Amino acid sequence: MENVYFNRVEQLRRLMAERSWDAVIITGSDPHSSEYPALRWKQVEWLSGFTGEAGDLVVTADHAGLWTDTRYFIQANAQLAGSGIILHKTRVPEQILIPQWLALHAFPSEKERIVIAVDGLCQRVNAIKELEAAMGSAGRSAAAENDESSYRIVSVPDLLEPLWKDRPAIPSTPVMSLSEGTVGERRTSKLARLREFTRTKGCDAILLTALDEIAWTLNVRGSDIEYNPLVISYLLVSAEGAQWFVRKEDGAADAGSLEVFADLEAEGIQVLPYDDISIVLAGGYDVPGRLFVDPSTLNHNLYSILEATFTDGRLVEGDSPVGLYKAVKNSVEINGMRECHIRDGVAMEKFLYWLETSVREGTVPVNERGAAIRLGEFRAEIEDYQGDSFETISAYGRSGALPHYVTPQRDAPVLEAHGLYLVDSGGQYLSGTTDITRTVPLGPCTMLEKEDYTLVLKGHIDLAMAVFPKGTAGCQIDALAREPLWRTHRSFGHGTGHGVGFFLGVHEGPQDIRQNFNKVPLEAGMITSDEPGIYREGLHGVRHENLLLCVEDGESEFGSFLAFETLTLCHFDTSAVIIDLLTEDEKAWLNAYNARVFETLSPMLPKDAAKWLEVKCRAIK
């Protein structure tokens, strides 16, 4: 049977031959460097069949490769089978990333001229610079006008357009505006902060291209990208005003959106068509003197326009300040997050009660897909629920060994009254964003399952109990969650914690908790996940996840200290815990947490679920 993805790669190779391209790079992102792109920009998935959120493709005349990290190795091997595409592993000691691979391994050394084609709309400026640096270090020089013994990178926006005949259009969904009472700060105040930052950098304007940064700045939300309340757009802010480049046609042109656009215009924010951004940046309108851009999110296509327009040092590059602005939540956002986690916890406990009862009784089989749907129904009962914050990972037994498992639409595995079931899910609410993972013992567990369950829980608790000096970065406390696993020669390949937005992306920076060096310190007001895990291919997976709020924890002669407040409220099942593996401090934390869950949530649960939760939350000794 022919493999559709093998055929698509061959079609691309024919296009490459026609246009004299030696290599093509396809990224899994969009023109805004989004982690989760809209369907239009899921080019890696269309070409390869790989559905993971992180993956880039390289195709040459004799090789096709997918680069992805440890979260997706098992998934990638399964999805790439028969396509002719080879998995290249990242976040491992022996990794060779795309720039180095192209520079050192992709072409024979005697080849005089190399042409690498990229979709400039979906390639970050920094990615192109990394490619140029690698090619240069390999002894190749960038192509000059008449230089035939070098490499050349050509930007081809919408590169796959000739092949992808039914490619989806750029989405345009209704736009909503959030009040100061919901988010705690007016957009005029946020714009003033941006203008002050721009002034300190000696610039006249700043261009924002990251969608979550634009949504946060303007206090707007949409649904252009599934699970992410974002509006596909660009924002140009100058001392005199602001221009928002957004799709106003199709779905977004409803009455509510038009009212939002009118309010923005009244506040001095000009609303322009999305595609006009290149005209403005090329000088079609009044262009400010010096422009600040963030090359980590700016796409290569717009950067090329800016390079030609903002000459003589008028283009200033650096990190956008908005990532840090929105990472540190204000008091209104923090209160909203606390409240939505209570309501989300009620939905989770209703689900877990239903799950245990249904599996134990066994009268109607429950499969992974059915469980995910039922959880979504419980969340949908919450008044300000806006949808899930990502696709629910509902994984039983061996399925849990894939950290980003995609639950099958059909013929999903049936849950049985033994072993471990992992559910990673979250909700979007007007009052915040949630992300929670629970690994649930459905009945008798093996000793190995219990050991993994307990050691991962130890790591989770040890991080949650952390106290650390101000100025500490997440990478400096990451080992707290890993050490219980390391002691038994176990580990996990993904990060321990990511930032979470306020009714925004479930993943955000600039802070994180992971082994990779990230110098951004944790600050009071930041919200970060705590999710160590362990994954055994063919057997099971374990992950325990709560969201943590970083809070002040007092001062001494040694300085100021920070700690964590756990926002997530949902019990940890102690039936699979090997108590002797826990320290007294860990047992005290676990008992106090489960007691708090019961005290907070039981009054809002049906009586039978509340009685069940009381048993689940009994202290261990």
Side-chain angles (χ1 to χ4, degrees), residues 25 115 122 176 210 249 278 280 298 307 309 320 333 381 394 408 423 446 466 479 537 542 573 587 589 611:
I25 303 175
V115 179
C122 298
M176 72 169 73
E249 63 273 26
S278 57
V280 170
L298 179 65
E307 277 192 310
T309 305
S320 165
E333 292 171 317
E381 295 173 359
S394 178
V423 57
T446 67
E537 185 173 357
V542 176
D573 196 315
K587 285 190 282 188
W589 185 96
K611 289 180 180 178

Side-chain angles (χ1 to χ4, degrees), residues 41 49 103 112 169 190 215 240 249 261 349 463 519:
W41 289 294
E112 294 185 346
K190 294 178 177 181
E240 294 76 29
E249 63 273 26
F261 296 149
E349 295 295 7
L463 180 59
K519 65 181 181 181

Side-chain angles (χ1 to χ4, degrees), residues 29 37-43 121 158 161 164 167-171:
S29 190
L39 290 176
R40 175 176 179 79
W41 289 294
K42 291 193 175 184
Q43 300 182 91
L121 281 173
D158 296 318
E161 197 86 16
W164 193 352
R167 186 180 183 186
I170 299 175

Side-chain angles (χ1 to χ4, degrees), residues 82-111:
S83 69
I85 300 170
I86 304 301
L87 171 63
H88 291 251
K89 297 181 178 181
T90 67
R91 293 187 188 169
V92 294
E94 66 275 15
Q95 72 175 10
I96 300 175
L97 300 179
I98 287 174
Q100 290 72 36
W101 186 85
L102 282 169
L104 300 173
H105 302 282
F107 310 105
S109 58
E110 64 272 13
K111 186 170 179 61

Side-chain angles (χ1 to χ4, degrees), residues 28 84 126 137 190 200 249 324 329-330 334 341 369 376 387 426 438 442 593:
N126 280 354
S137 67
K190 294 178 177 181
T200 63
E249 63 273 26
L324 188 56
K329 274 56 177 180
N330 59 46
I334 290 170
H341 275 87
R369 174 60 59 181
R438 286 296 180 268
L442 293 180
Y593 177 77

Side-chain angles (χ1 to χ4, degrees), residues 323-511:
L324 188 56
Y325 291 166
K326 67 182 175 63
V328 180
K329 274 56 177 180
N330 59 46
S331 60
V332 172
E333 292 171 317
I334 290 170
N335 288 335
M337 289 290 272
R338 286 181 177 132
E339 291 169 5
C340 78
H341 275 87
I342 292 173
R343 297 193 298 276
D344 195 78
V346 170
M348 280 296 302
E349 295 295 7
K350 287 180 178 179
F351 166 73
L352 292 175
Y353 171 69
W354 167 86
L355 178 73
E356 182 173 304
T357 302
S358 300
V359 173
R360 183 180 64 242
E361 292 177 353
T363 52
V364 178
V366 177
N367 65 20
E368 293 174 343
R369 174 60 59 181
I373 291 171
R374 191 71 184 101
L375 176 53
E377 291 171 347
F378 282 119
R379 280 202 172 98
E381 295 173 359
I382 300 172
E383 185 177 355
D384 66 341
Y385 172 74
Q386 302 295 302
D388 289 348
S389 56
F390 56 96
E391 183 176 0
T392 296
I393 298 171
S394 178
Y396 174 61
R398 62 189 300 170
S399 302
L402 283 74
H404 279 229
Y405 176 67
V406 178
T407 306
Q409 295 281 350
R410 295 181 178 178
D411 300 321
V414 173
L415 278 55
E416 300 175 9
H418 63 87
L420 299 174
Y421 166 70
L422 186 153
V423 57
D424 187 349
S425 67
Q428 293 285 9
Y429 305 95
L430 292 176
S431 51
T433 300
T434 67
D435 182 3
I436 173 176
T437 306
R438 286 296 180 268
T439 303
V440 184
L442 293 180
C445 293
T446 67
M447 183 54 66
L448 183 61
E449 288 171 330
K450 290 180 178 180
E451 285 180 4
D452 288 344
Y453 185 96
T454 306
L455 293 172
V456 172
L457 185 56
K458 278 174 68 72
H460 174 94
I461 293 171
D462 290 353
L463 180 59
M465 292 193 300
V467 177
F468 47 93
K470 278 190 177 180
T472 299
C475 59
Q476 294 173 291
I477 60 173
D478 176 80
L480 293 174
R482 297 178 185 271
E483 200 267 345
L485 292 167
W486 287 346
R487 262 186 277 144
T488 58
H489 296 178
R490 305 175 209 206
S491 191
F492 58 96
H494 56 72
T496 301
H498 56 80
V500 177
F502 176 87
F503 186 26
L504 271 175
V506 74
H507 294 164
E508 72 168 25
Q511 84 283 9

Side-chain angles (χ1 to χ4, degrees), residues 288-335:
R290 283 166 59 87
L291 178 65
F292 188 92
V293 297
D294 185 341
S296 70
T297 58
L298 179 65
N299 69 62
H300 177 65
N301 190 61
L302 284 183
Y303 184 73
S304 300
I305 295 172
L306 292 171
E307 277 192 310
T309 305
F310 292 84
T311 56
D312 302 322
R314 294 171 57 223
L315 187 63
V316 179
E317 300 178 25
D319 294 332
S320 165
V322 178
L324 188 56
Y325 291 166
K326 67 182 175 63
V328 180
K329 274 56 177 180
N330 59 46
S331 60
V332 172
E333 292 171 317
I334 290 170
N335 288 335

